[in-house]
Amino acid sequence: MSKSKRIALCGVLTALALALSLAERMIPLELLIPIPGIKLGLANVVTMFALLFLTPREAFAILFCRVTLAALFAGSVTSFAFSLLGGLCALTTTWILLHRRENWFSLYGISAASAAMHNVGQIIAGIVIMQSVNVIAYLPLLLIAAIPIGFLTGGILAVLEKHMAHMRLE
């Protein structure tokens, strides 16, 4: 695939991730899962998709642009820090586990681990921003919620991979 097509694809994926991120803020998930701040992580599906079909560098660029634009459109410096650190932890985890996938991990497991590490990253951001380790008390609830949410996003990713396997771009 030509460089210009790769750049265009990254732009489309960034726009999709941003739209999913902003749309997710409108879903009152607290009605189903009574844990404040829980989201479905649909934008993370785009990041994981990018790691499957593009390079890690392109996946990082998509993540960084999405987080930056979401903070500009509907967030703050604090939401930027939480999203970026969580996203970087999730991206790194996904990248590491995808390299072990053939023998060890399914996309469901990778996605659940990615969701859990996103929450760990957010807790680290919370500790730094709030200057208190008491934030860590919230982590067990987030990790419990990460399992079903990660399986959901893993299922979406598995369907995408199955139907787009012919599109390997590297």
Side-chain angles (χ1 to χ4, degrees), residues 44-62:
N44 193 41
V45 172
V46 177
T47 303
M48 291 187 296
F49 177 88
L51 280 171
L52 278 172
F53 293 97
L54 299 169
T55 67
R57 185 176 175 176
E58 291 164 329
F60 170 77
I62 291 165

Side-chain angles (χ1 to χ4, degrees), residues 109-120:
I110 292 170
S111 183
S114 177
M117 289 307 294
H118 188 279
N119 292 333
V120 169

